[in-house]
Amino acid sequence: MKETSPREQKRLLLIDDDPNLILLVKDYLEFRGYEVITAENGREALEILEQEQPDMIICDVMMPEMDGYSFVRCVREDPRTSWIPVLFLSAKGQSQDRVKGLNTGADVYMVKPFEPEELVAQVESSLKQANRLIQHQNKSSDGPNKIQVPAEVDLTPTELKVVQLLAQGKANRQIAEIMNVSQRTIESHVSNMLGKTSLNNRTELARWAIESNRA
């Protein structure tokens, strides 16, 4: 079993209406050293978020009362929770389902059934990315020169997702794979955003996304 001190232990919020899956995933993640809070649907999860601030959310898509899409929109709209990484679990594996999930605000989309080891790897990867983002944001806020862009920059939902992934250090090829589009399409989105922001390169674009709280 992974040794984790109480101070280092990461807290995960697991949301699913299938009690068997909740039990299986909770046991596996706790065995790997995580603290796991559970909820049966999005509405119950929002109530938990009023009191708790987990390091990551793992969420089913199709649930009663409030589905995963509606829940994640609420999470992303709340400044207190907008930074939390979200992993979608879904039985729907078509490309349009993945795209919808990612465009809604999820960081990772996994299709059921899945291998528990893959889930743990995705969780660990997302937590590391979030930590790098926080560290980078702290360094950026301490720096003397803030990125300057036009006052009003209007990004499309797709462009916003692309720039969020850029801020996580993803290459165009990786972003294309995540969003299930061609690399040329991602390059076109990046080019459009450089035009809108008058920035010079992907690095400045990623830094601007973090400094403006778009990431």
Side-chain angles (χ1 to χ4, degrees), residues 28 43 49 52 55 66 87 100 124 130 136 168 192 199 203 206-207 211:
Y28 198 85
R43 197 167 302 284
L49 289 176
E52 305 275 355
D55 296 288
M66 177 183 280
L87 185 153
K100 181 178 180 181
E124 291 179 349
H136 186 82
Q168 293 174 16
N192 288 341
L199 297 175
T203 302
R207 184 180 159 196
E211 290 180 355

Side-chain angles (χ1 to χ4, degrees), residues 63-79:
M63 297 180 293
E65 294 193 45
M66 177 183 280
D67 64 15
Y69 298 129
S70 301
F71 168 71
V72 170
R73 288 190 190 100
C74 291
V75 169
R76 293 294 177 239
E77 289 169 359
D78 187 338

Side-chain angles (χ1 to χ4, degrees), residues 4 18 22 26 29 34 56 58 65 68 71 87 98 104-105 119 130 141 150 157 160 163 170 186 194 206 213-215:
T4 310
D18 181 348
I22 283 277
K26 184 175 187 290
L29 289 171
Y34 295 101
M56 185 171 178
I58 302 171
E65 294 193 45
F71 168 71
L87 185 153
R98 294 176 181 270
T104 299
L119 175 63
S141 62
L160 184 59
V163 82
K170 302 285 189 188
I186 299 301
L194 289 174
N213 293 321
R214 294 170 189 262

Side-chain angles (χ1 to χ4, degrees), residues 49-190:
L49 289 176
E50 290 293 328
Q51 307 296 328
E52 305 275 355
Q53 196 167 72
D55 296 288
M56 185 171 178
I57 296 169
I58 302 171
C59 182
D60 188 19
V61 173
M62 305 307 295
M63 297 180 293
E65 294 193 45
M66 177 183 280
D67 64 15
Y69 298 129
S70 301
F71 168 71
V72 170
R73 288 190 190 100
C74 291
V75 169
R76 293 294 177 239
E77 289 169 359
D78 187 338
R80 297 180 307 106
T81 58
S82 61
W83 61 272
I84 301 176
V86 175
L87 185 153
F88 260 156
L89 295 176
S90 176
K92 304 173 90 173
Q94 298 296 319
S95 60
Q96 61 265 30
D97 298 317
R98 294 176 181 270
V99 170
K100 181 178 180 181
L102 294 169
N103 284 341
T104 299
D107 299 284
V108 182
Y109 190 103
M110 289 186 64
V111 179
K112 301 175 184 178
F114 52 85
E115 291 294 329
E117 283 294 338
E118 182 184 0
L119 175 63
V120 171
Q122 291 284 13
V123 167
E124 291 179 349
S125 175
S126 295
L127 289 171
K128 287 176 183 176
Q129 288 174 7
N131 187 54
R132 285 197 297 268
L133 192 62
I134 291 168
Q135 290 179 347
H136 186 82
Q137 192 169 13
N138 290 339
K139 288 179 182 177
S140 296
S141 62
D142 292 338
N145 299 317
K146 195 168 183 177
I147 291 285
Q148 299 295 321
V149 300
E152 292 296 329
V153 177
D154 186 22
L155 300 184
T156 67
T158 302
E159 287 172 344
L160 184 59
K161 184 61 186 178
V162 171
V163 82
Q164 287 171 344
L165 291 169
L166 277 180
Q168 293 174 16
K170 302 285 189 188
N172 286 352
R173 175 184 54 78
Q174 294 172 303
I175 297 173
E177 291 174 356
I178 291 170
M179 299 185 66
N180 200 35
V181 297
S182 69
Q183 185 170 330
R184 188 178 297 275
T185 298
I186 299 301
E187 290 168 355
S188 176
H189 286 309
V190 171

